[in-house]
Amino acid sequence: MRACLPVAVSVFAYGAVYGALARAAGLTLAEALWSSALVFAGSAQFAALGLWTTPLPVVALILTTLVINLRHLLLGAAIRDRFAGWSPRATYGALFFLVDENWALTTATSAGGGFLAGSGLVLYVAWVGATLTGALVGGALPDPTRFGLDFAFPAVIIALATSLWRGRSTLLPWAVAAISACLVARWLPGGWPILLGGLAGSTVGAWREVARDVA
Protein backbone atom coordinates (compact mmCIF):
# COMPACT_ATOMS: atom_id res chain seq x y z
CA MET A 1 0.00 0.00 0.00
CA ARG A 2 2.80 2.42 0.87
CA ALA A 3 4.60 1.68 -2.40
CA CYS A 4 1.50 2.65 -4.39
CA LEU A 5 0.66 5.92 -2.62
CA PRO A 6 2.58 8.15 -5.10
CA VAL A 7 0.79 6.47 -8.02
CA ALA A 8 -2.54 6.93 -6.24
CA VAL A 9 -2.04 10.70 -6.36
CA SER A 10 -1.93 10.60 -10.16
CA VAL A 11 -4.87 8.20 -10.27
CA PHE A 12 -6.86 10.65 -8.18
CA ALA A 13 -6.05 13.45 -10.64
CA TYR A 14 -7.50 11.78 -13.72
CA GLY A 15 -10.21 10.06 -11.68
CA ALA A 16 -11.59 13.48 -10.79
CA VAL A 17 -11.53 14.39 -14.47
CA TYR A 18 -13.51 11.24 -15.23
CA GLY A 19 -16.12 12.10 -12.60
CA ALA A 20 -16.61 15.58 -14.04
CA LEU A 21 -16.82 14.28 -17.61
CA ALA A 22 -19.28 11.59 -16.58
CA ARG A 23 -21.67 14.19 -15.18
CA ALA A 24 -21.20 16.32 -18.29
CA ALA A 25 -22.12 13.28 -20.42
CA GLY A 26 -25.44 12.98 -18.58
CA LEU A 27 -24.72 10.34 -15.92
CA THR A 28 -26.25 10.90 -12.51
CA LEU A 29 -24.04 11.11 -9.44
CA ALA A 30 -24.91 7.52 -8.51
CA GLU A 31 -24.28 6.25 -12.06
CA ALA A 32 -20.88 7.95 -12.23
CA LEU A 33 -19.90 6.58 -8.83
CA TRP A 34 -21.07 3.02 -9.50
CA SER A 35 -19.39 2.96 -12.93
CA SER A 36 -16.06 3.36 -11.16
CA ALA A 37 -16.88 1.15 -8.18
CA LEU A 38 -18.05 -1.81 -10.27
CA VAL A 39 -15.97 -1.50 -13.44
CA PHE A 40 -12.68 -0.03 -12.10
CA ALA A 41 -11.07 0.28 -15.53
CA GLY A 42 -10.15 3.86 -16.32
CA SER A 43 -9.25 3.52 -19.99
CA ALA A 44 -12.44 1.57 -20.76
CA GLN A 45 -14.55 4.04 -18.78
CA PHE A 46 -13.14 7.03 -20.67
CA ALA A 47 -13.74 5.21 -23.96
CA ALA A 48 -17.34 4.50 -22.93
CA LEU A 49 -17.92 8.18 -22.21
CA GLY A 50 -16.85 8.98 -25.76
CA LEU A 51 -19.66 6.77 -27.02
CA TRP A 52 -22.27 7.91 -24.48
CA THR A 53 -25.13 9.26 -26.55
CA THR A 54 -28.91 8.92 -26.64
CA PRO A 55 -29.97 6.27 -27.50
CA LEU A 56 -27.05 4.32 -26.09
CA PRO A 57 -25.06 2.32 -28.68
CA VAL A 58 -25.03 -0.78 -26.47
CA VAL A 59 -23.23 -3.08 -28.92
CA ALA A 60 -20.50 -0.51 -29.61
CA LEU A 61 -20.05 0.08 -25.88
CA ILE A 62 -19.70 -3.63 -25.14
CA LEU A 63 -17.28 -4.30 -27.99
CA THR A 64 -15.11 -1.25 -27.26
CA THR A 65 -14.72 -1.98 -23.56
CA LEU A 66 -14.17 -5.69 -24.28
CA VAL A 67 -11.34 -5.03 -26.74
CA ILE A 68 -9.67 -2.50 -24.43
CA ASN A 69 -9.83 -4.83 -21.44
CA LEU A 70 -8.69 -7.95 -23.30
CA ARG A 71 -5.17 -6.85 -22.43
CA HIS A 72 -5.90 -8.23 -18.96
CA LEU A 73 -5.45 -11.69 -20.45
CA LEU A 74 -1.80 -10.78 -21.03
CA LEU A 75 -1.44 -9.04 -17.66
CA GLY A 76 -2.93 -11.99 -15.81
CA ALA A 77 -0.77 -14.54 -17.61
CA ALA A 78 2.36 -12.59 -16.67
CA ILE A 79 1.61 -12.73 -12.93
CA ARG A 80 0.04 -16.18 -12.72
CA ASP A 81 2.91 -17.60 -10.66
CA ARG A 82 2.45 -14.87 -8.03
CA PHE A 83 -0.76 -16.59 -6.93
CA ALA A 84 0.63 -20.11 -6.48
CA GLY A 85 -1.08 -21.74 -3.53
CA TRP A 86 -3.94 -19.24 -3.43
CA SER A 87 -7.53 -20.48 -3.50
CA PRO A 88 -9.61 -19.54 -6.56
CA ARG A 89 -11.83 -17.29 -4.44
CA ALA A 90 -8.88 -15.36 -3.02
CA THR A 91 -7.16 -15.14 -6.41
CA TYR A 92 -10.20 -13.80 -8.25
CA GLY A 93 -10.92 -11.38 -5.42
CA ALA A 94 -7.40 -9.97 -5.63
CA LEU A 95 -7.52 -9.77 -9.43
CA PHE A 96 -10.52 -7.45 -9.27
CA PHE A 97 -7.97 -4.82 -8.22
CA LEU A 98 -5.66 -5.52 -11.18
CA VAL A 99 -4.95 -2.40 -13.24
CA ASP A 100 -2.00 -1.32 -15.37
CA GLU A 101 -0.30 0.64 -12.61
CA ASN A 102 -0.16 -1.98 -9.87
CA TRP A 103 0.56 -4.72 -12.43
CA ALA A 104 3.70 -2.79 -13.42
CA LEU A 105 4.68 -2.28 -9.78
CA THR A 106 4.14 -5.97 -9.00
CA THR A 107 6.11 -7.30 -11.98
CA ALA A 108 8.97 -4.92 -11.17
CA THR A 109 9.40 -6.69 -7.81
CA SER A 110 9.51 -10.26 -6.58
CA ALA A 111 6.40 -9.68 -4.48
CA GLY A 112 3.46 -12.07 -4.54
CA GLY A 113 -0.24 -11.65 -5.01
CA GLY A 114 -0.63 -9.83 -1.70
CA PHE A 115 1.35 -6.91 -3.11
CA LEU A 116 -1.00 -6.71 -6.09
CA ALA A 117 -4.08 -6.81 -3.88
CA GLY A 118 -2.80 -4.23 -1.40
CA SER A 119 -1.58 -1.76 -4.00
CA GLY A 120 -4.75 -2.27 -6.02
CA LEU A 121 -6.91 -1.50 -3.00
CA VAL A 122 -5.15 1.85 -2.57
CA LEU A 123 -5.73 2.66 -6.25
CA TYR A 124 -9.37 1.57 -6.01
CA VAL A 125 -10.06 3.91 -3.10
CA ALA A 126 -8.30 6.75 -4.94
CA TRP A 127 -10.21 6.11 -8.18
CA VAL A 128 -13.67 5.84 -6.62
CA GLY A 129 -13.02 8.78 -4.29
CA ALA A 130 -11.77 10.90 -7.18
CA THR A 131 -14.80 10.00 -9.29
CA LEU A 132 -17.08 11.12 -6.48
CA THR A 133 -15.11 14.35 -6.05
CA GLY A 134 -15.16 15.16 -9.76
CA ALA A 135 -18.84 14.32 -10.08
CA LEU A 136 -19.74 16.53 -7.11
CA VAL A 137 -17.82 19.63 -8.15
CA GLY A 138 -18.65 19.08 -11.84
CA GLY A 139 -18.48 22.34 -13.75
CA ALA A 140 -16.47 24.03 -11.02
CA LEU A 141 -13.39 22.19 -12.32
CA PRO A 142 -11.37 24.17 -14.86
CA ASP A 143 -10.45 22.65 -18.20
CA PRO A 144 -8.02 19.84 -17.22
CA THR A 145 -6.02 20.24 -20.44
CA ARG A 146 -4.92 23.68 -19.27
CA PHE A 147 -2.91 22.06 -16.50
CA GLY A 148 -1.81 18.96 -18.37
CA LEU A 149 -4.01 16.63 -16.29
CA ASP A 150 -5.11 14.87 -19.45
CA PHE A 151 -1.53 13.55 -19.67
CA ALA A 152 -1.54 12.19 -16.11
CA PHE A 153 -2.45 8.63 -17.11
CA PRO A 154 0.14 8.30 -19.94
CA ALA A 155 2.78 9.89 -17.69
CA VAL A 156 2.20 7.30 -14.95
CA ILE A 157 2.43 4.41 -17.43
CA ILE A 158 5.64 5.78 -18.98
CA ALA A 159 7.22 6.21 -15.56
CA LEU A 160 6.25 2.69 -14.47
CA ALA A 161 7.50 1.22 -17.75
CA THR A 162 11.02 2.36 -16.94
CA SER A 163 11.04 -0.01 -13.95
CA LEU A 164 10.41 -2.93 -16.33
CA TRP A 165 13.44 -2.18 -18.50
CA ARG A 166 15.87 -5.10 -18.45
CA GLY A 167 18.54 -3.73 -20.75
CA ARG A 168 19.13 -4.52 -24.41
CA SER A 169 17.26 -7.82 -24.16
CA THR A 170 14.06 -5.83 -23.64
CA LEU A 171 14.55 -3.59 -26.66
CA LEU A 172 13.30 -5.90 -29.44
CA PRO A 173 9.96 -6.95 -27.84
CA TRP A 174 9.27 -3.36 -26.81
CA ALA A 175 10.09 -2.03 -30.28
CA VAL A 176 7.90 -4.65 -31.97
CA ALA A 177 5.01 -3.85 -29.61
CA ALA A 178 5.31 -0.09 -30.15
CA ILE A 179 5.61 -0.30 -33.93
CA SER A 180 2.76 -2.82 -34.19
CA ALA A 181 0.49 -0.64 -32.03
CA CYS A 182 1.25 2.44 -34.13
CA LEU A 183 0.53 0.58 -37.38
CA VAL A 184 -2.71 -0.93 -36.06
CA ALA A 185 -3.86 2.50 -34.81
CA ARG A 186 -3.92 3.75 -38.39
CA TRP A 187 -6.64 1.29 -39.39
CA LEU A 188 -8.39 0.00 -36.27
CA PRO A 189 -9.92 2.25 -33.58
CA GLY A 190 -10.54 1.68 -29.90
CA GLY A 191 -8.38 -0.71 -27.91
CA TRP A 192 -7.10 -2.83 -30.83
CA PRO A 193 -3.66 -1.14 -30.91
CA ILE A 194 -3.18 -1.95 -27.21
CA LEU A 195 -4.21 -5.58 -27.59
CA LEU A 196 -2.45 -6.40 -30.88
CA GLY A 197 0.67 -4.45 -29.99
CA GLY A 198 0.88 -6.33 -26.70
CA LEU A 199 0.39 -9.67 -28.43
CA ALA A 200 3.09 -8.88 -31.00
CA GLY A 201 5.62 -7.89 -28.35
CA SER A 202 4.74 -10.86 -26.15
CA THR A 203 5.12 -13.25 -29.07
CA VAL A 204 8.60 -11.94 -29.82
CA GLY A 205 9.56 -12.17 -26.15
CA ALA A 206 8.25 -15.75 -25.88
CA TRP A 207 10.03 -16.74 -29.11
CA ARG A 208 13.32 -15.41 -27.75
CA GLU A 209 12.88 -17.34 -24.50
CA VAL A 210 12.20 -20.58 -26.38
CA ALA A 211 15.17 -20.00 -28.69
CA ARG A 212 17.40 -19.37 -25.67
CA ASP A 213 16.25 -22.56 -23.93
CA VAL A 214 16.81 -24.64 -27.08
CA ALA A 215 20.27 -23.21 -27.53
Side-chain angles (χ1 to χ4, degrees):
M1 288 182 172
R2 289 194 300 269
C4 210
L5 285 176
V7 180
V9 174
S10 294
V11 169
F12 191 93
Y14 52 83
V17 173
Y18 170 77
L21 292 178
R23 291 303 305 275
L27 275 71
T28 66
L29 176 62
E31 289 169 342
L33 183 61
W34 280 109
S35 68
S36 285
L38 296 178
V39 179
F40 190 41
S43 54
Q45 290 177 238
F46 275 109
L49 284 184
L51 299 172
W52 205 267
T53 58
T54 303
L56 283 177
V58 177
V59 174
L61 280 168
I62 292 174
L63 290 178
T64 299
T65 54
L66 173 63
V67 169
I68 291 175
N69 285 333
L70 277 176
R71 73 187 188 283
H72 282 254
L73 290 173
L74 301 175
L75 302 185
I79 58 173
R80 182 176 182 273
D81 293 342
R82 310 296 179 102
F83 292 91
W86 285 49
S87 69
R89 178 179 298 181
T91 300
Y92 298 144
L95 289 178
F96 173 78
F97 299 104
L98 171 63
V99 291
D100 301 289
E101 293 89 345
N102 68 328
W103 175 86
L105 285 172
T106 302
T107 54
T109 70
S110 58
F115 184 95
L116 180 89
S119 56
L121 180 59
V122 171
L123 296 180
Y124 180 78
V125 172
W127 179 252
V128 176
T131 299
L132 177 61
T133 302
L136 285 173
V137 299
L141 284 177
D143 182 2
T145 61
R146 290 175 52 196
F147 306 98
L149 290 180
D150 57 323
F151 191 68
F153 179 70
V156 169
I157 297 302
I158 292 172
L160 291 175
T162 61
S163 65
L164 302 178
W165 179 255
R166 297 292 182 267
R168 294 179 60 184
S169 62
T170 316
L171 181 59
L172 182 60
W174 283 29
V176 170
I179 294 172
S180 300
C182 290
L183 291 175
V184 172
R186 298 188 60 182
W187 293 285
L188 294 176
W192 287 109
I194 301 173
L195 176 63
L196 298 181
L199 284 173
S202 300
T203 300
V204 171
W207 173 77
R208 294 187 65 182
E209 289 293 327
V210 171
R212 186 180 297 114
D213 292 341
V214 172

